[in-house]
Amino acid sequence: MASKRFGTGRRAEARRRLRPAYDSLVLYDAAWQRRTSSVLSGALGIWGVAATVAPDPENANGFVIALPTGAAIRVSHSAPAGWAVTLREPGFGEEAGPDRHAGLPGLLWRLREALAPDAPSGRLVIGAQQLHGRDAAAR
Amino acid sequence: MAAVPVSVITGFLGSGKTTLLARLLRDPAFARTAVIVNEFGEVGLDHLLVEVSDEEIVLLDSGCMCCSVRGDLVRTAGSLLARRAAGAIAPFERIVIETTGLADPAPILQALMTDPAIADALCLESVIATVDAAAGAATLDAHPESVKQAAIADRIVFTKTDLGDPRSNGLAERVDALNPAAPKLIAVHGAVDASRLFGGRAQANGPDVRAWLAAEAVPRDSADHAHGHAAGRNDDAVTTFCLRRSTPLHAVTLSLFLQVLAEHCGARLLRLKGLVDVLESPGRPAVIHGVQHVFHPPAWLDAWPDEDCTTRIVVIALGLDPLWFEALLDALDGEVAALQAGAAAAAGAPTAREG
């Protein structure tokens, strides 16, 4: 996984100003842990990845995804919707990352890219046909 | 001119699709029906059995509709509409597409939903699956395609009921577990109550929305989706469940939810129908409908169709855990709520929930 710089300059300054407002809005409680863990482990199952998801002992906002190979991916949430992804490969020494992604959709996309690049993927298509037909759509 | 309703009749080989269609077309109420069938094999036997005037029958050139549907079906439907507009054929009021027995109905629905050449002139009315009352269980066991056909349908018709009773041989129970939301009809020698076969599309503001969604027929608790039958059958992998929310969802949440499902579930998301309470649109619920990764644009109702003003999203999926959908929806809404509330607080404005 390639490391990327994120949040420098004016945007970073703006983020720092907003941080106090955001930090109080996400409650990292048991329900949040359970919900997020379910999303991650469910996604791994969909991609056919044999891995476990556990709370990160070093970070109440994070999880460790452990693979049978010994590799681990640490994901960490920062309010309101930012996710940092760090890869630790055994034998590689240094950690790679963190990559940062906005929101769960970005996190899931990044994890699939790292763990199951060949898993079937799609994209949302909004068709041209109105559900109610032409007349209703014109109402 | 109003959009022409189009229905799809699917069902495994020999399950009685054409017999059903032939009987329907004898009914004067269905005289103004254009039929699109396709040949399978060297001889178009299905075509020969359909009793309807030549002008209203169109045969697709290729063998398997699911493989060639995007070209042939669109071209054929477009041709029908053009000839109708030009007065070259009778002014039909409905189109019925009969698939081959091996066809996956999903690409057919997607072609109808997405192709701009026909999408504006047609509206999807109903997907009807025929299930052989005598051989249906064996077919479900042997052919995953037949499971998908039954799972995706809006209506299920048990055929050949003179040879088997689906209520006594366990087939009805099995199909009901597979697709609890679809009304089950009994055909006797192809005869069925046609008024219950068609209609029921998500009409704006009508009670039809409720019937179309049929959320009441789906287990209330997603954890209760297990069918309780022997493991290892094709239909074990199909789960039908209803996501319910008593508080409104952010519009962005809905969009992100569908995006994630499309990106990661793909073909395993067989069908999704929903009536959604959107925070930014109080009192005007959104109707959503998708087949795999393809969705209609959301339709907005002027009012709720009944006294139940809560979100109900019915999902039919292949090998996907309902609890993942539950967690994903909540997690996304939590992120969106935090983002919006934080931005509003930073700007000194009230949040959406605060009004």
Side-chain angles (χ1 to χ4, degrees):
Chain A
M1 287 188 293
S3 177
K4 295 174 188 169
R5 296 291 296 166
F6 180 82
T8 57
R10 290 166 59 186
R11 287 180 63 191
E13 178 56 31
R15 286 172 58 83
R16 272 192 292 278
R17 281 204 306 272
L18 290 175
R19 177 67 51 221
Y22 286 136
D23 281 346
S24 62
L25 294 170
V26 178
L27 186 60
Y28 298 107
D29 58 2
W32 182 86
Q33 292 267 359
R34 192 170 50 247
R35 192 167 60 229
T36 311
S37 177
S38 292
V39 171
L40 296 176
S41 55
L44 292 170
I46 290 171
W47 304 328
V49 174
T52 59
V53 179
D56 187 340
E58 300 170 14
N59 181 1
N61 308 352
F63 299 88
V64 177
I65 300 169
L67 285 89
T69 60
I73 291 180
R74 177 167 272 130
V75 298
S76 173
H77 186 262
S78 58
W83 288 91
V85 180
T86 308
L87 174 68
R88 183 181 291 158
E89 282 277 11
F92 277 24
E94 290 291 309
E95 289 184 339
D99 290 347
R100 296 188 188 277
H101 301 277
L104 271 171
L107 173 66
L108 293 176
W109 179 86
R110 182 69 184 94
L111 290 176
R112 189 185 62 199
E113 186 184 63
L115 297 171
D118 297 327
S121 63
R123 64 184 175 85
L124 181 63
V125 173
I126 302 295
Q129 187 182 68
Q130 298 293 331
L131 190 54
H132 294 153
R134 183 164 44 199
D135 286 355
R139 288 173 337 117
Chain B
M1 190 177 289
V4 177
V6 55
S7 292
V8 175
I9 297 183
T10 186
F12 204 69
L13 295 168
S15 63
K17 297 182 294 299
T18 307
T19 305
L20 177 72
L21 186 54
R23 283 296 295 260
L24 281 171
L25 294 174
R26 283 187 212 143
D27 185 333
F30 292 92
R32 293 189 165 192
T33 299
V35 180
I36 301 176
V37 298
N38 67 310
E39 283 187 311
F40 188 73
E42 293 183 357
V43 181
L45 287 176
D46 283 359
H47 170 53
L48 296 177
L49 292 174
V50 177
E51 296 174 8
V52 66
S53 65
D54 287 343
E55 287 79 13
E56 292 177 68
I57 283 283
V58 179
L59 272 168
L60 296 178
D61 293 334
S62 58
C64 183
M65 184 179 277
C66 64
C67 301
S68 58
V69 63
R70 291 185 190 280
D72 271 3
L73 177 61
V74 168
R75 200 163 36 246
T76 303
S79 167
L80 273 174
L81 291 166
R83 287 155 59 197
R84 172 182 182 249
I89 58 175
F92 56 86
E93 297 169 347
R94 166 182 281 115
I95 294 177
V96 176
I97 298 169
E98 181 194 347
T99 75
T100 70
L102 296 174
D104 176 352
I108 296 165
L109 303 181
Q110 291 175 347
L112 293 170
M113 291 162 68
T114 55
D115 195 288
I118 59 170
D120 196 35
L122 302 177
C123 59
L124 184 61
E125 183 178 46
S126 190
V127 180
I128 300 154
T130 52
V131 177
D132 183 329
T139 302
L140 292 172
D141 287 338
H143 301 285
E145 303 93 330
S146 67
V147 172
K148 198 168 176 183
Q149 290 165 348
I152 213 169
D154 294 303
R155 310 275 196 285
I156 290 174
V157 180
F158 290 111
T159 58
K160 304 187 181 180
T161 49
D162 53 323
L163 302 177
D165 181 356
R167 286 165 296 205
S168 62
N169 63 18
L171 180 63
E173 187 182 5
R174 189 170 169 183
V175 170
D176 205 42
L178 189 60
N179 188 343
K184 316 298 183 301
L185 310 177
I186 300 286
V188 180
H189 298 296
V192 69
D193 182 354
S195 66
R196 295 183 61 201
L197 202 54
F198 295 100
R201 67 191 158 107
Q203 303 274 11
N205 295 329
D208 280 354
V209 173
R210 188 176 162 186
W212 170 79
L213 189 61
E216 300 81 6
V218 181
R220 286 198 67 82
D221 186 346
S222 296
D224 290 345
H225 73 281
H227 299 160
H229 46 57
R233 301 195 307 206
N234 288 324
D235 33 343
D236 288 335
V238 176
T239 50
T240 302
F241 52 93
C242 183
L243 305 171
R244 298 168 194 271
R245 292 293 179 276
S246 55
T247 54
L249 294 172
H250 294 83
V252 176
T253 300
L254 181 59
S255 174
L256 293 174
F257 182 62
L258 300 183
Q259 179 189 322
V260 170
L261 297 184
E263 284 182 357
H264 299 283
C265 300
R268 294 161 75 178
L269 179 68
L270 297 180
R271 205 164 179 193
L272 183 150
K273 300 176 180 179
L275 193 57
V276 183
D277 184 11
V278 176
L279 185 68
E280 294 85 350
S281 176
R284 299 189 69 238
V287 184
I288 57 173
H289 174 241
V291 178
Q292 297 177 342
H293 65 289
V294 177
F295 280 75
H296 286 284
W300 298 91
L301 303 186
D302 290 335
W304 288 88
D306 56 21
E307 66 282 357
D308 185 354
C309 304
T310 60
T311 293
R312 289 152 277 170
I313 301 174
V314 175
V315 180
I316 304 171
L318 205 54
L320 298 174
D321 184 354
L323 297 179
W324 182 73
F325 286 74
E326 298 275 7
L328 178 67
L329 187 58
D330 287 342
L332 289 170
D333 206 42
E335 279 196 347
V336 171
L339 191 62
Q340 292 191 351
T351 66
R353 286 185 192 281
E354 291 166 349

